[in-house]
């Protein structure tokens, strides 16, 4: 006697968080049953494998029906088909949009296109995240990207509103969208030590200080782009390294302030000019799309690696950057004070975040 | 032209994309009622159109209002080709037709398409302006309230319970009309949905007319069913119990529940009791029904089988006074014997004021209380009447019997679809009566004169009635009817519980009786009241009654168990003992009933779900041969089902079954029987004996060993079960109980009969002949299997209990969490060469596994109880068995439960007094204040007008009508603020029970009766049969919830899925399913909220993270 049809429908939709996670992780029904067996649910509830199979199938069917609604979370709140308490709805959305950082790290800066989707099995193999789960996460990124692409106002807020995500998750999505939009290079070997968290933090700083939304929420341009005018203006900062007098003055101001305060004073003094050049030029290059890609590569290659080889401590770097940013205030010939500080706020934050092993 | 229907189409949302090119839709709406159609403008290029239409007005007869559904069709405009239908919404406007229900229907409805399912939602507002029509000869019955609930609905009291109403209408099934060959599946499905909607409207109207004729104003326990007879047509039939209900005054709903009924009672001055129905009590009924004559049928055309009555009755039974003869005795002698009691009751007035609890009250209260004494006395009198203790009471007894009988004899069918009754209503319970009849379907030639079907049912009902009579009972309670159809064979079944009722509840023919009725019935409150003082009542009244030289009253805890029939002329061999509770009167050793456990019943331990499952193979045959073979099988099936039930009951150490429902399903090559009931241990009944196993070949040593091994297993199981269900009756010294009446044979309470193809009346004795009570004889492998199968029933895992009744005996501290669910399984039987045994085993496993999987699914709710577990079996195809289960899981507080169980005898009283829901249900009073039902009609109008503009959710609007106190209104204002600001969907609870734990139902908004068809031609793509049906059932739930929410309700009670017909054709990638559900839409308020009412605004809904994207109203 085999069961052809076997369903259970509750007036309040039953959701088993454990099975939901198995489903999200891309396990088939059979795999999920095997895992639940190993989890010992059978011993606790004293039932048979057949019951477990039927239960798992029921849940999987429910999730498949819910998936359509999860693509637009506000609809999940308005729909009449499934009666789900608000806390459970929030859980469903949050888990559905949660992603593996290792997977997201791989995808950062890549175009969210069909081509990339085809390469997902490679990423899946590398990260150990199942291909089904990879696809769901990729589709989530793409869906969020498409939804907010044309919207104005702060990216994270838009995402939070359209997808009802908790604020930290919405900020991570904003970072993903920002990277996908700006196409920063993150795959280079020398960048491998950086985690998704590092990049996300950097992206958040850039959005906070550099983008249009940061300045005027109702601005015309979408939040995902750094305004062209700002990037254009950054060229003006080159004067700090191009003008010999300014450079020397800047160096002496920083050195005076730091003397005796950092352990790597000598190395700093010796390297000040290349460091300063690197720090300023990173910004100067941002007008060209190709150079934008190299933003993180440049920071690592020209700032972080030299410092690391000179054994700067993070505290040293923090102190240095603080004084380095503040010093131009005392330079009477330097007129771009506001621009400089807006620029350096992000660079400082990024460098400090990225300065680890 | 007595009605104006007004409809406004506000907006749509989440519509499907109808134009692939633009990914958008140009939607407009057609609103159709009767033959009139209105259209909205096209709202171009949007999936969330805002039509905001004018009010479409339909001026119609109220007859039409009752019959027709409002039909709303959403279409996609297409300039060049025909407009595409997106989907439809059918709205039953019946709830708007009576004043106490909903005033407006307003909300988001899922747009439903029979092929695609739900496709977006539409916001609609519907109102009705009704003008009163005083035409005596009108065909409409607006204003008659319908309830699916099989008890007197909470927040109403029954003034009079009139009795049985039934009606059926037939039509051709559109699916089988010639036109179906050329139209699309969608058109055909919609024609069917619409037709059934029309037919049920018509049926409801006709039943309403009958109720009005009986001078009632409501139908309780309304059960409407469809028989899809295929080629021969479509039958919609309904039964119910006509009542005159009176709404409890609104303020009571907001009093703390524990004392509301009695308080309210006291507020009504004694003088204002005139019963508005006293005048109506005389008319028509007596004469009309006497003329009924029963012909032993078989006279219908093309009908091979006829029904024979009294199969199971021993003909030696003294013929109880029949038919007309009884009317020779006028009711006056009874009156003369009642009036002395009345006088005596006056003597008791002084005695009553001694009661400290009541003495402080003002005089009407004292007066009232004295009346309650009278009631006890009268109860005592009638109890004695049918009791068997006093031989000298004989003539007196018959007199009383005749009095009560005469009240009921006047009815054609003294049947009641109710399963729960006001205390005192049920005097004695005789046992289950059932009748089945096998019929061959033929085309219904004239749909306007459905005589054949009417006659079929009349015949069955007559049988039921005569069975009840044989049990010494004049009425049948917990009555229900069902059919099972396979091709052209149809089994009609009816069953109920034979009972003796207290005639004073029923509308009586005599005017003089009314005063006395009124006096005697008010005390019903007191015997169940929450105040401790009432408990003291019984001994007192008993004492006084014995002082007065009257036979002692049967205590309410056991009275219903006492036998109603004459012990010397028992209709079947039975084993009687003196009642273990009162020791005064005789009780049977087991009791089977179809009703719910009476609240006052004293139960030891907990109850449990007991099922008997059975399959019988049958040869495939055509027409008459088929009907004959089915008829021949039925008696054996009934016998076996009964034996199984009895054995399983014994195995659990219990002695009574409640809520018994035996379903026999016919398929092409087999019959299936499934009986479900809730077993309990009634303190009044004797302890059940064990089960003995006897072998046929006693000489074989190993065989002996095997037998004794089995015996041990059985004994162990009984011991284990007793522990599990906490059955530990107090030990009674033998001499008190008295020796049982001789002739110890197994008795059966199940009176049944079959239709036979032969005219010969066969007698079937359900008892096991001369064998000792529970000896199972193992004489062949079959019997062995039977014993094995007995032991395969696994008890539910710890923390779970299950029952198929409303309340689980032994659990009284429900917590508010409930989960209603429907589970469906279809299994394929592996091969055709099955034997009965393997078939039985398969069926048994199927049911057991289904239960197991339910327990597993709901494990997070432990400790909990599955209540109202309702199994339905269907045999859709040759080798397919379909089982559908609907039930509700309710959590309870374990700690309190344990405490309560320590004092089992206290418990039942405690339950009676703490269960507020039930309390409200019981107040039954013959006096009434007709104005009380509508205390604030003007306010209602104002609110209604205002609400349509303000966009306050309908729930609050409707709720506000109920709030009488300023407190409540303040509370409402608080409440409406948060819910206006967010657009989350309001929660609608669903339950098959008539109540919600921890909540008070404040208003009934009308009946929900919906019929849906869903079809697919892409079965695989929709996830196979499971995916298809899963989605469909979820959609049905969603549509029920949406309708309730639009009526302003927040729950459906007495929800039932009456039909779930599933057909598949995997080869063609097709499937079709029909579902029919019903229930009562209500507004409930949490008791905890009630208490906090003045202080705290509600915590309902509000979800801060919601986006608030859409515009409401």
């Amino acid at each position: 006697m085999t069961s052809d049809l076997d369903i259970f429908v509750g007036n309040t939709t039953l959701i088993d968080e454990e099975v939901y996670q198995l489903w999200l992780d891309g396990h088939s029904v059979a795999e999920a049953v095997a895992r639940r067996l190993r989890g010992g649910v059978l011993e606790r509830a004293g039932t048979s494998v057949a019951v477990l199979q039927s239960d798992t199938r029921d849940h999987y069917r429910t999730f498949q029906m819910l998936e359509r609604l999860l693509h637009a979370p506000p609809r999940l709140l308005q729909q009449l088909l499934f009666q789900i308490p608000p806390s459970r709805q929030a859980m469903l959305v949050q888990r559905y949009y949660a992603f593996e950082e290792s997977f997201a790290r791989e995808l950062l800066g890549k175009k969210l296109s069909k081509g990339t989707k085809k390469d997902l099995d490679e990423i899946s193999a590398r990260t150990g995240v199942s291909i089904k789960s990879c696809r769901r996460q990729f589709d989530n990124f793409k869906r969020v990207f498409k939804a907010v692409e044309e919207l104005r106002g702060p990216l994270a807020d838009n995402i939070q509103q359209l997808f009802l995500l908790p604020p930290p998750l919405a900020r991570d999505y904003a970072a993903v969208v920002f990277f996908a939009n700006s196409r920063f290079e993150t795959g280079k070997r020398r960048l491998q030590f950086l985690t998704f968290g590092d990049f996300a933090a950097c992206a958040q700083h850039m959005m906070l200080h550099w983008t249009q939304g940061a300045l005027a929420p109702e601005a015309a341009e979408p939040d995902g782009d750094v305004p062209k005018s700002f990037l254009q203006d950054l060229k003006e900062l080159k004067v700090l390294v191009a003008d010999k007098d300014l450079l020397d003055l800047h160096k002496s101001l920083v050195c005076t302030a730091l003397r005796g305060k950092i352990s790597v004073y000598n190395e700093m003094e010796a390297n000040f000019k290349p460091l300063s050049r690197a720090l300023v030029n990173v910004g100067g290059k941002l007008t060209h799309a190709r150079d934008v890609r190299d933003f993180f590569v440049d920071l690592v290659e020209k700032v972080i690696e030299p410092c690391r080889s000179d054994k700067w401590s993070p505290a040293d770097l923090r102190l240095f950057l603080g004084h380095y940013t503040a010093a131009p205030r005392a330079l009477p010939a330097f007129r771009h004070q506001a621009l400089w500080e807006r620029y350096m706020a992000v660079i400082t934050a990024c460098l400090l975040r990225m300065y680890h092993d | 032209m007595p009605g104006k229907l007004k409809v406004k189409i506000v907006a749509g949302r989440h519509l499907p994309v109808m134009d692939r090119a633009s990914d958008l839709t140009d939607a407009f709406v057609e609103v159709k009622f009767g033959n009139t159609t209105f259209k909205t403008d096209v709202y171009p290029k949007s999936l969330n159109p805002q039509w905001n239409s004018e009010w479409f007005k339909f001026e119609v007869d109220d007859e039409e209002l009752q019959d027709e559904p409002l039909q709303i069709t959403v279409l996609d405009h297409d300039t060049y080709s025909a407009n595409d239908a997106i989907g439809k919404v059918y709205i039953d406007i019946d709830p708007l037709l009576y004043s106490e229900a909903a005033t407006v229907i307003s909300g988001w409805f899922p747009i439903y398409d029979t092929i695609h399912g739900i496709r977006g939602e539409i916001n609609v507002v519907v109102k009705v302006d009704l003008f009163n029509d005083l035409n005596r000869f009108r065909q409409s019955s607006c204003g008659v309230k319908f309830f699916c609930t099989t008890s007197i609905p909470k927040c109403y009291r029954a003034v009079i319970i009139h009795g049985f109403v039934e009606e059926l209408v037939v039509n051709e099934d559109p699916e089988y009309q010639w036109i179906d060959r050329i139209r699309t599946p969608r058109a055909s499905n919609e024609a069917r949905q619409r037709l059934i909607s029309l037919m049920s409207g018509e049926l409801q109207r006709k039943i309403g007319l009958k109720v009005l004729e009986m001078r009632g104003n409501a139908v309780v326990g309304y059960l409407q069913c469809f028989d899809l007879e295929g080629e021969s047509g479509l039958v919609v039939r309904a039964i119910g119990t006509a009542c005159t209900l009176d709404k409890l005054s609104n303020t009571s709903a907001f009093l703390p529940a524990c004392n509301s009924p009695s308080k309210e009672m006291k507020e009504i001055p004694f003088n204002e009791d005139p019963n508005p129905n006293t005048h109506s009590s005389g008319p028509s009924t007596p004469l009309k029904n006497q003329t009924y004559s029963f012909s032993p049928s078989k006279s219908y055309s093309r009908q091979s089988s006829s029904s024979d009555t009294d199969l199971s009755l021993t003909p030696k039974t003294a013929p109880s006074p029949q038919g007309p003869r009884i009317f020779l005795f006028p009711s006056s002698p009874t009156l003369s014997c009642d009036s002395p009691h009345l006088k005596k009751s006056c003597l008791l007035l002084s005695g009553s004021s001694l009661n400290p609890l009541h003495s402080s009250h003002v005089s009407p209260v004292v007066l009232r209380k004295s009346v309650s004494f009278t009631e006890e006395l009268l109860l005592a009198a009638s109890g004695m009447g049918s009791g068997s203790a006093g031989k000298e009471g004989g003539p007196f007894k018959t007199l009383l019997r005749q009095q009560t009988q005469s009240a009921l004899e006047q009815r054609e069918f003294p049947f009641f679809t109710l399963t729960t009754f006001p205390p005192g209503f049920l005097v004695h319970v005789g046992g289950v009566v059932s009748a089945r009849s096998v019929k061959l379907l033929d085309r219904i030639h004239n749909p306007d004169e459905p005589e054949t079907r009417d006659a079929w049912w009349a015949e069955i009902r007559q049988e039921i009635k005569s069975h009840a009579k044989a049990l010494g009972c004049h009425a049948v309670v917990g009555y229900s009817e069902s059919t099972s159809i396979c091709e052209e064979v149809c089994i009609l079944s009816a069953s109920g519980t034979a009972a003796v009722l207290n005639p004073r509840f029923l509308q009586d023919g005599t005017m003089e009786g009314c005063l006395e009725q009124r006096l005697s019935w008010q005390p019903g409150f007191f015997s169940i009241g929450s105040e401790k003082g009432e408990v003291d009542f019984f001994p007192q009244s008993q004492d006084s009654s014995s002082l007065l030289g009257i036979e002692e009253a049967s205590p309410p805890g056991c009275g219903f168990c006492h036998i109603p029939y004459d012990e010397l002329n028992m209709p079947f061999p039975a084993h009687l003992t003196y009642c273990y509770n009162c020791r005064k009167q005789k009780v049977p050793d087991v009791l089977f009933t179809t009703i719910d456990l009476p609240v006052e019943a004293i139960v030891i331990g907990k109850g449990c779900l007991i099922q008997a499952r059975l399959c019988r193979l049958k040869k495939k045959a055509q027409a008459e041969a088929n009907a004959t073979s089915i008829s021949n099988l039925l008696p054996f099936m009934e016998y076996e089902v009964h034996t199984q039930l009895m054995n399983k009951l014994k195995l659990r150490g219990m002695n009574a079954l409640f809520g018994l429902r035996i379903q026999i399903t016919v398929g092409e090559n087999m019959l299936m029987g499934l009986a479900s009931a809730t077993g309990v241990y009634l303190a009044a009944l004797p302890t059940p004996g064990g089960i003995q196993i006897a072998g046929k070949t006693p000489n074989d040593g190993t065989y002996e060993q095997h037998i004794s091994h089995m015996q041990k297993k059985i004994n162990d199981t009984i011991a284990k079960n007793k522990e599990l269900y906490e059955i530990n009756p107090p030990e009674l010294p033998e001499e008190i109980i008295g020796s049982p009446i001789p002739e110890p044979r197994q008795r059966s309470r199940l009176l049944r009969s079959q239709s036979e193809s032969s005219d010969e009346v066969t007698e079937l004795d359900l008892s096991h002949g001369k064998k000792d009570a529970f000896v199972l004889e193992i004489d062949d492998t079959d019997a062995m299997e039977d014993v094995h199968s007995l032991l395969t029933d696994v008890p539910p895992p710890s923390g779970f209990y299950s029952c198929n009744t409303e309340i689980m005996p032994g659990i009284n501290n429900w917590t508010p969490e409930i989960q209603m669910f429907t589970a469906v399984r279809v299994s394929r039987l592996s091969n055709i060469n099955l034997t009965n045994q393997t078939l039985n085993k398969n069926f048994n496993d199927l049911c057991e596994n289904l239960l197991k999987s339910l327990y597993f699914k709901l494990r997070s709710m432990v400790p909990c109880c599955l209540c109202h577990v309702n199994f339905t079996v269907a045999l859709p195809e040759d080798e397919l068995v379909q089982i559908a289960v609907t039930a509700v899981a309710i959590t309870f507080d374990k700690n309190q439960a344990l405490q309560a169980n320590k004092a089992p005898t206290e418990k039942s009283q405690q339950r009676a007094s703490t269960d507020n829901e039930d309390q409200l249900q019981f107040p039954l009073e013959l006096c009434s204040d007709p104005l009380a039902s509508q205390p604030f009609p003007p306010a209602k109008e104002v609110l209604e007008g205002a609400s349509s503009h303000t966009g306050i959710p309908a729930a609050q609007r409707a709720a506000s009508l109920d709030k009488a106190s300023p407190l409540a209104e303040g509370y409402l204002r608080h409440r409406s603020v948060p819910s206006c600001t967010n657009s989350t969907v309001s929660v609608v609870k669903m339950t098959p029970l008539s109540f919600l734990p921890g909540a008070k139902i404040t208003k009934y908004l009308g009946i929900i009766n919906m019929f849906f068809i869903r079809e697919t031609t892409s079965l695989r793509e929709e996830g196979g049969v499971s995916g298809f049906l899963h989605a469909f059932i979820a959609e049905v739930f969603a549509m029920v919830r949406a309708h309730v929410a639009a009526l302003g309700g927040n729950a459906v009670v007495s929800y039932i899925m009456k039909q779930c017909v599933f057909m598949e054709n995997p080869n063609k990638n097709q499937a079709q399913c029909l579902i029919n559900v019903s229930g009562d839409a209500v507004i409930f308020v949490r008791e905890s909220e009630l208490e906090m009412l003045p202080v705290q605004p509600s915590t309902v809904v509000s979800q801060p993270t919601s986006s608030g994207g859409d515009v409401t109203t």
Side-chain angles (χ1 to χ4, degrees), chain B residues 284-297:
Chain B
S284 66
T285 30
L287 284 169
K288 181 183 161 199
N289 297 329
Q290 274 177 42
T291 51
Y292 189 87
S293 69
F294 175 59
S295 61
S297 71

Side-chain angles (χ1 to χ4, degrees), chain A residues 7 14 21 30 32 50 58 67 85 103 123 155-156 166 185 202 206-207 246 296 299 302 309 325-326 353-354:
Chain A
I7 57 155
L14 274 189
Q21 197 54 54
D58 256 328
E67 191 165 19
F103 171 78
I123 299 179
L155 203 51
E185 172 65 58
C202 296
M206 288 189 216
M207 283 186 280
L246 265 181
F296 289 100
L299 281 183
K302 294 181 178 147
S309 66
T325 310
R353 174 79 203 207
M354 289 156 70

Side-chain angles (χ1 to χ4, degrees), chain B residues 615-671:
Chain B
C615 295
R616 274 267 182 266
L617 285 170
K618 121 185 138 51
K619 286 206 182 71
K620 276 194 186 178
Q622 290 302 310
E624 312 217 345
N626 196 15
T628 310
S629 69
I630 293 170
S631 305
N632 290 340
L633 274 173
L634 281 178
F636 296 99
M637 293 197 65
E638 295 251 19
Y639 174 82
E640 257 186 68
V641 162
H642 183 255
T643 311
Q644 251 190 55
L645 281 175
M646 194 65 101
N647 286 333
K648 288 188 175 178
L649 186 66
K650 297 285 158 190
L651 205 60
R652 282 168 180 80
M654 298 175 180
N655 57 19
L657 286 182
F658 287 90
L660 176 63
R661 189 167 160 266
I662 302 177
Q663 203 196 346
I664 302 239
T665 311
V666 58
E668 294 229 316
N669 57 351
M670 65 175 117
L671 285 174

Side-chain angles (χ1 to χ4, degrees), chain B residues 164-183:
Chain B
F164 192 60
V165 278
E166 50 78 29
E167 185 62 84
L168 64 81
V169 292
V170 298
N171 211 316
E172 267 187 278
D173 191 337
E175 186 106 331
Y176 293 88
Q177 286 165 344
W178 66 269
I179 194 171
D180 206 59
R181 293 190 197 140
I182 53 166
R183 65 181 166 192

